[in-house]
Amino acid sequence: MERTYIMLKPDCVQRGLIGEVVSRIEHKGYKIVEMKMMTLSEKVLREHYAHVADMGFFPELLDYMMSGPVVAMIVEGEGVIAGMRRVMGPTNNFDAAPGTIRGDFACSTSFNIIHGSDSPETAEIEIKRFFG
Ligand code: IDP
Ligand code: MG
């Protein structure tokens, strides 16, 4: 069965939205097969966000992602990688429609509640990165 890496970001935890977001994932019918709370190091974040390291918002992204603990998960289901991206909504805050997690809860494009792998290749790498 397909697996993806999902991470509830520090704003999700700080705003008391863990239950709400986990419940949406479960209600969709996906299965949470691993879950842990952790605080991320700058080293792992520089790897995880290497594709945006040249962007102006990168220093702010590092500070945000280290501002508190995250909840890391492996989520399993048919077509779960693309499916979770649809449940999450797109990166751009304005494009994230109501009914999606980001559309309902994200205040901005930077502070956007949740991460989900964007392809089978990245899912495999990210599951290894955060779960070994
Ligand atoms: P994704 O999280 O939807 O896959 P990516 O393009 O991989 O989006 O970007 C990683 C993270 O960097 C985003 O989730 C968001 O927190 C931050 N980010 C991306 N684009 C912007 C932007 O234009 N302004 C501020 N932060 C951004
Ligand atoms: Mg991404």
Side-chain angles (χ1 to χ4, degrees), residues 1-2 30 76-81 83:
M1 187 60 79
E2 191 171 283
Y30 297 138
E76 192 175 272
E78 196 182 315
V80 71
I81 299 169

Side-chain angles (χ1 to χ4, degrees), residues 9 49 51-52 57 61 64 85 91 102 109-110 112 115-116:
K9 296 183 175 185
Y49 284 127
H51 62 292
V52 291
F57 61 77
L61 177 62
Y64 157 51
R85 295 286 300 195
T91 315
R102 285 171 169 173
T109 300
S110 341
N112 59 3
H115 166 85

Side-chain angles (χ1 to χ4, degrees), residues 51-97:
H51 62 292
V52 291
D54 294 337
M55 306 297 274
F57 61 77
F58 187 65
E60 192 183 283
L61 177 62
L62 288 181
D63 285 347
Y64 157 51
M65 290 300 299
M66 292 190 295
S67 66
V70 301
V71 177
M73 286 181 260
I74 300 174
V75 179
E76 192 175 272
E78 196 182 315
V80 71
I81 299 169
M84 270 305 304
R85 295 286 300 195
R86 288 175 65 84
V87 170
M88 285 162 52
T91 315
N92 182 284
N93 185 50
F94 183 79
D95 293 336

Side-chain angles (χ1 to χ4, degrees), residues 16-48:
L17 293 171
I18 296 173
E20 170 71 41
V21 174
V22 164
S23 147
R24 287 180 181 219
I25 296 169
E26 292 182 322
H27 284 170
K28 178 69 181 170
Y30 297 138
K31 192 173 168 194
I32 295 165
V33 294
E34 298 271 0
M35 178 150 108
K36 62 181 174 186
M37 193 174 252
M38 62 202 287
T39 302
L40 301 179
S41 67
E42 185 172 330
K43 183 173 177 285
V44 80
L45 282 167
R46 284 186 181 277
E47 274 177 35
H48 183 65

